Amino acid sequence: MAGEAASTVQDALIVGIDFGTTYSGVAWAFTSDPDRIRTIKNWPGNRNNLEKVATVLSYNTGPVRARDSLPYKWGFEVKAGAETLSWFKLLLNDQTKENNNSTSSGQSGVKSQPSSSNIRDKGKAPAAGPASRKGSGAGAGAEPGPNSRLNALKNTINSLPRDKKPVDLVADYLRGLHQHMVTTLEAAYPKSLTEQLGKTKPIKYCLTVPAVWTDRAKALTLQAAKDAGMAEGLTEIRLISEPEAAAVYCLKVFQETQNCLNPGDLYVIADCGGGTVDLISYEITTTSPRLLVKEAVSGSGSLCGSTTLNRRFAKLVEECIGTQAYQSMTPEARTTTLNHFEEYLKKTFSPPPADAETDHEDFESYYCPVPGVANNTEKGVQGGFLVLTAEQMIGIFKPSFDEITALVQEQIEKAEAKSAKPVTGVLLVGGYGASEYLRQHLEDNIRSTRQKEPLKVLQPVDAWTAIVRGAVLDGVAVHESAHIRDPGAARSMVQSRISRFSYGISACEPFVEGFHPFNKLFYSHRYGELMCRDRMSWFVTKGQEIPDQDPIRVKLRATVDIDAPIDDFKLSQLIFCSSADIPPLDRENSSVHALLNYAADTSGLSRDHFERRTSPADGEEFWLIPIDMVMRYDSAELVFTTEIRPEGARGGKAGRVIVGKSPKVQFNDVNLPEAAPSLEEQMRAATL
């Protein structure tokens, strides 16, 4: 499709941004040359040809110099000894709220989460290269459970700069990333081209987010991107889930280079990053003329990324050399220690073979520098190095590996049960997913439940950058699809997705005695009948397969007095969500939560588009505004538009008017109050 569309589609710059918990990356391609994807490899403060940059910030950097473009440091600009903020991405996913914050299993909250007693790590800045930003000794002591780890992360808000919220930190970091991207493009292309970008030549950003995040967290990420300057000029911002982006890249590469995919193949994507582990399954539907897939079963995941390894390593070092010695190390010395684990031990460690004929005493030793710590043979410190055994190293990895293995096996079983066919293989991607030790562990421990045999675990060559590259490829496909006349054509490689939640509205419906409770009964003078309030009308149910090309239309019928001022021709509608497997009918159910407020403004339309009605009860005239709320269930966001469709318009686009003003969508910060809305509010939002 790319070659066919390139001659007729307006050229655009597609920018993929993989905003990660520990590292972030940027890639781009022009739609006129979509197969040539380039990644940024040189970063401020580091010129070592790295395809990602550390996700860290430092605000206490002293006086701002005239040559500084930003009043803070980010990425590799942050030097050892600075007060560093890290892992702030995780704060966007506010799991203490009850608004659609469940995992795919329907359990409230998260399964696990990295612990940090303080996200501000004094003296833990990364050196020039991949580095750990863990706080010194963070998490020392007993392994905390999910709730305590979650609370520890939430308490880090107390260490934020006084005028900053988590979304502000993300915006500041993305601003630095965005400005460096612009600088990189200006250095790579002639001025005649770069002057067009965002003006006559559009820029379309594809920003990745964890699939397990709540809709509200994803919306906050989008807001941060806008605040960072990505919405200025002729631009668009689209969110895509991290495992979907990885699948787009890996499967496309497999097919185009090896032609090794077949319709019916079923792959599980395991995206293992610094903060999150996301699982998603895709079934190949067609390979020619275009590779298309569909989501096989609802995804799952957990906050159990590789940052948990950093915390356990820091805890182990402190236990080995003693708390006093550990706390006496200089910031630079601790950075050296933690960097060595991040850059070398974490990536290269592989335990001795299980069948190795060796005693425990003869296990291979692993050396880690601990500058400034005195020699102590009993504690394993020799010549400035801490000597660790394979058993100690295995102890760092095992809890995380066990959890990831359980998640992958669960996804395999669900995918095979739903599709009634065996999983073809597992694709392991992400920074953590680049670990050969993790790949081998998974291959040794996961099984197909239908074939009762081990599964092949594949590790793409570009596993670390598969997500950002896939984001670019998906952005190219979506851009080109806008110029294809076939309305049934999928916009991206993914033809359909599985909803992880139910979405609906609270509405009034005709009262049925013996079925509806009497405490919700009222008489509608406007419609002349008995009604029941607070009834849930679900337009998407959990587990529902939603085609990418088919938006969901929800009829909303607002009523306005016949002589109402023009400003009253607006509709405000709460959208609710539920993680229950079977969504309840009553709004008061504990699984139902207000997710967002959808506000449509029809005040600019002629009243010819509205319907003049007469109340059967008292003969009073009123306007009925026949609104269609149109929701697209995209890869990682809910996208809304508004249409007016009079009752006489049936099917197609005849009689349909697209409202020019985009609806305002505001995600809820808190749960709904116990008190019920007024009758007028109920009636204005009623689905009739």
Side-chain angles (χ1 to χ4, degrees):
M1 183 183 75
E4 180 181 338
S7 59
T8 58
V9 178
Q10 178 190 15
D11 190 24
L13 174 67
I14 309 298
V15 178
I17 297 178
D18 177 13
F19 170 51
T21 303
T22 53
Y23 290 96
S24 299
V26 179
W28 76 89
F30 288 95
T31 54
S32 56
D33 191 12
D35 295 327
R36 194 183 300 275
I37 299 175
R38 296 171 173 84
T39 59
I40 294 182
K41 298 181 180 180
N42 291 319
W43 305 95
N46 184 286
R47 300 292 175 182
N48 290 338
N49 208 37
L50 296 171
E51 290 188 296
K52 287 194 177 181
V53 60
T55 308
V56 293
L57 285 168
S58 181
Y59 290 94
N60 297 328
T61 57
V64 179
R65 299 167 300 180
R67 68 174 183 270
D68 292 335
S69 59
L70 297 170
Y72 53 86
K73 300 297 183 184
W74 67 279
F76 295 132
E77 291 180 331
V78 182
K79 302 304 180 184
E83 289 191 359
T84 305
L85 286 164
S86 57
W87 298 10
F88 46 85
K89 169 183 173 177
L90 299 181
L91 291 176
L92 289 185
N93 199 40
D94 188 350
Q95 297 282 10
T96 62
K97 300 280 191 297
E98 295 296 327
N99 294 335
N100 98 320
N101 66 344
S102 303
T103 61
S104 63
S105 61
Q107 297 173 335
S108 179
V110 292
K111 294 183 179 178
S112 69
Q113 185 155 333
S115 171
S116 174
S117 59
N118 193 329
I119 202 169
R120 175 180 288 170
D121 304 333
K122 188 170 184 177
K124 296 296 181 304
S132 168
R133 272 79 57 203
K134 274 296 297 163
S136 58
E143 185 75 12
N147 291 335
S148 61
R149 278 180 278 177
L150 177 61
N151 291 334
L153 185 60
K154 291 304 300 174
N155 288 337
T156 61
I157 292 180
N158 295 330
S159 67
L160 302 183
R162 184 170 299 177
D163 60 339
K164 299 288 184 181
K165 295 181 293 186
V167 68
D168 298 323
L169 300 188
V170 176
D172 284 346
Y173 182 81
L174 292 178
R175 185 175 295 108
L177 206 64
H178 180 247
Q179 288 189 6
H180 182 61
M181 179 210 76
V182 172
T183 300
T184 300
L185 292 173
E186 289 176 344
Y189 298 103
K191 188 176 181 180
S192 58
L193 171 61
T194 57
E195 285 184 337
Q196 298 179 48
L197 298 178
K199 296 176 182 176
T200 58
K201 189 183 293 291
I203 304 176
K204 299 194 174 183
Y205 298 95
C206 300
L207 184 60
T208 66
V209 293
V212 294
W213 268 18
T214 66
D215 290 314
R216 182 177 181 275
K218 295 169 184 175
L220 285 173
T221 306
L222 182 61
Q223 183 58 53
K226 293 177 180 178
D227 293 343
M230 296 183 199
E232 298 174 1
L234 187 59
T235 61
E236 293 180 15
I237 308 174
R238 178 172 178 264
L239 301 183
I240 179 173
S241 78
E242 292 166 356
E244 181 171 318
V248 167
Y249 177 73
C250 295
L251 295 178
K252 186 174 187 293
V253 168
F254 286 167
Q255 183 63 14
E256 292 185 352
T257 60
Q258 303 298 324
N259 194 28
C260 57
L261 300 179
N262 299 296
D265 284 352
L266 183 60
Y267 283 93
V268 171
I269 313 298
D271 170 26
C272 302
T276 57
V277 172
D278 273 326
L279 282 300
I280 200 165
S281 303
Y282 291 107
E283 180 180 343
I284 310 297
T285 56
T286 63
T287 57
S288 179
R290 179 186 176 195
L291 176 62
L292 295 173
V293 304
K294 68 176 182 178
E295 192 173 343
V297 68
S298 180
S300 60
S302 181
L303 297 173
C304 59
S306 67
T307 49
T308 58
L309 306 182
N310 298 46
R311 179 178 55 77
R312 290 191 190 99
F313 174 75
K315 173 186 172 183
L316 176 62
V317 172
E318 183 174 356
E319 289 176 346
C320 289
I321 69 176
T323 299
Q324 183 176 352
Y326 186 79
Q327 293 180 349
S328 297
M329 293 175 70
T330 65
E332 292 77 10
R334 281 196 299 269
T335 297
T336 298
T337 301
L338 300 178
N339 278 358
H340 184 76
F341 175 74
E342 176 72 25
E343 297 176 11
Y344 181 71
L345 293 178
K346 186 171 164 182
K347 295 179 178 179
T348 63
F349 173 72
S350 184
D355 58 353
E357 296 182 2
T358 177
D359 295 329
H360 174 75
E361 320 290 337
D362 298 326
F363 270 5
E364 186 176 352
S365 298
Y366 301 87
Y367 292 81
C368 180
V370 284
V373 178
N375 287 346
N376 188 319
T377 305
E378 293 183 358
K379 294 182 177 181
V381 181
Q382 302 174 13
F385 286 86
L386 174 64
V387 184
L388 300 173
T389 66
E391 185 178 30
Q392 288 174 310
M393 290 293 294
I394 291 172
I396 293 173
F397 289 88
K398 188 177 185 304
S400 175
F401 279 18
D402 287 348
E403 185 167 8
I404 293 172
T405 301
L407 286 169
V408 175
Q409 185 64 47
E410 179 187 40
Q411 183 72 190
I412 291 169
E413 293 172 4
K414 287 183 177 180
E416 292 186 336
K418 178 74 176 294
S419 63
K421 62 182 64 176
V423 166
T424 308
V426 176
L427 297 180
L428 187 60
V429 299
Y432 196 7
S435 166
E436 171 59 22
Y437 181 21
L438 175 58
R439 189 201 69 80
Q440 190 61 56
H441 179 87
L442 288 174
E443 198 160 82
D444 291 343
N445 289 279
I446 60 175
R447 295 289 186 273
S448 166
T449 57
R450 299 187 67 85
Q451 294 186 332
K452 307 298 182 183
E453 61 183 30
L455 280 170
K456 184 71 175 177
V457 179
L458 305 173
Q459 210 169 37
V461 175
D462 298 314
W464 201 32
T465 59
I467 293 172
V468 73
R469 293 173 184 270
V472 173
L473 288 176
D474 190 73
V476 169
V478 171
H479 174 76
E480 292 178 348
S481 70
H483 299 266
I484 296 177
R485 294 182 178 180
D486 181 5
R491 298 182 310 139
S492 67
M493 190 178 83
V494 180
Q495 283 185 300
S496 64
R497 301 178 179 88
I498 305 296
S499 177
R500 301 190 181 202
F501 300 95
S502 295
Y503 299 94
I505 61 174
S506 176
C508 304
E509 62 187 29
F511 187 86
V512 178
E513 187 174 354
F515 179 73
H516 290 126
F518 276 97
N519 64 338
K520 294 186 177 183
L521 170 67
F522 72 96
Y523 179 74
S524 169
H525 289 276
R526 185 152 282 180
Y527 291 95
E529 60 181 320
L530 295 175
M531 305 289 286
C532 179
R533 69 168 67 91
D534 292 340
R535 299 293 287 176
M536 292 306 304
S537 176
W538 301 102
F539 50 84
V540 171
T541 55
K542 182 179 178 180
Q544 178 179 335
E545 182 176 346
I546 305 175
D548 178 70
Q549 68 273 20
D550 293 339
I552 297 157
R553 286 185 164 81
V554 182
K555 293 184 182 299
L556 302 176
R557 298 298 179 257
T559 61
V560 181
D561 291 341
I562 201 70
D563 56 353
I566 194 67
D567 288 343
D568 283 2
F569 285 76
K570 299 175 183 178
L571 170 71
S572 182
Q573 173 67 61
L574 278 174
I575 307 298
F576 295 82
C577 67
S578 172
S579 60
D581 291 333
I582 300 177
L585 296 177
D586 287 309
R587 197 184 77 175
E588 293 83 1
N589 187 282
S590 60
S591 76
V592 178
H593 305 287
L595 174 65
L596 60 88
N597 187 68
Y598 160 91
D601 185 355
T602 64
S603 59
L605 293 180
S606 166
R607 299 196 185 191
D608 292 340
H609 297 299
F610 309 146
E611 299 177 25
R612 196 174 186 122
R613 294 285 185 91
T614 301
S615 169
D618 54 17
E620 177 187 352
E621 287 192 313
F622 61 92
W623 291 108
L624 185 142
I625 307 177
I627 288 177
D628 274 12
M629 179 182 72
V630 184
M631 186 186 86
R632 181 180 293 280
Y633 190 84
D634 216 334
S635 171
E637 58 183 323
L638 306 176
V639 182
F640 292 88
T641 54
T642 304
E643 295 179 357
I644 299 292
R645 188 202 296 267
E647 293 297 326
R650 303 295 182 189
K653 295 185 178 180
R656 186 189 307 168
V657 177
I658 298 176
V659 177
K661 295 182 180 179
S662 298
K664 293 182 180 179
V665 176
Q666 179 65 48
F667 279 79
N668 275 21
D669 219 3
V670 295
N671 291 333
L672 280 180
E674 292 294 327
S678 67
L679 297 184
E680 178 63 18
E681 290 173 324
Q682 290 283 340
M683 289 306 302
R684 284 171 64 86
T687 298
L688 301 177

